[in-house]
Amino acid sequence: MKFLCVVYEEPNNGLGPQTEKEADDLVNEHLDYDETLRQSGHWLIAQALQPVETATTVRMRNGKISITDGPFAETKEVLGGFVLIEAKDMEEAVQVAARIPSARMGFIHVRRVYEFEKK
């Protein structure tokens, strides 16, 4: 089964990197964990996202496109990235997600991927 681990950060909670070295160390820790996931057979893909200030929100209503700079709504959590994994069940997926380094600073939302087949 595939599970999407959505990484949310809470930038104002004081738990994230405070210096450039701490930020570099966190990136390296993520890259090391990606390699651990590859070796265990769980890893499918992982990507970090640029800061939320670089985002654009797109809506389509009544055939018209509406574009807004930045996030859809003000929240204290921001989407930081994702990890797509293979796991035998939700319990295993949660154990894998709990070891994602950013879980210590924010939270990881774990959802099973619904795999469609064309009929």
Side-chain angles (χ1 to χ4, degrees):
M1 290 182 246
K2 291 182 179 119
F3 291 86
L4 183 64
C5 303
V6 185
V7 179
Y8 285 91
E9 301 168 348
E10 298 179 52
N12 297 321
N13 69 2
L15 297 175
Q18 304 299 312
T19 67
E20 189 172 330
K21 181 181 180 337
E22 288 177 352
D24 290 344
D25 290 347
L26 180 62
V27 167
N28 289 332
E29 190 176 357
H30 273 279
L31 294 172
D32 289 344
Y33 189 56
D34 287 351
E35 185 56 35
T36 298
L37 292 177
R38 280 186 194 91
Q39 291 175 8
S40 69
H42 289 103
W43 193 84
L44 295 173
I45 190 170
Q47 292 291 299
L49 299 174
Q50 292 288 325
V52 69
E53 296 81 19
T54 66
T56 297
T57 300
V58 178
R59 294 179 192 83
M60 177 65 88
R61 302 290 187 271
N62 299 318
K64 294 184 181 174
I65 297 173
S66 170
I67 300 171
T68 306
D69 290 340
F72 175 73
E74 292 296 322
T75 64
K76 67 180 198 173
E77 301 92 10
V78 295
L79 179 60
F82 68 91
V83 182
L84 184 63
I85 63 169
E86 187 78 39
K88 66 180 179 182
D89 56 26
M90 178 61 87
E91 185 177 330
E92 182 178 50
V94 166
Q95 293 304 310
V96 169
R99 293 188 300 274
I100 294 172
S102 288
R104 296 189 311 265
M105 293 156 261
F107 62 92
I108 313 298
H109 180 86
V110 181
R111 290 180 70 174
R112 186 172 171 196
V113 173
Y114 191 74
E115 298 184 55
F116 291 102
E117 292 184 23
K118 191 170 182 174
K119 297 179 182 182

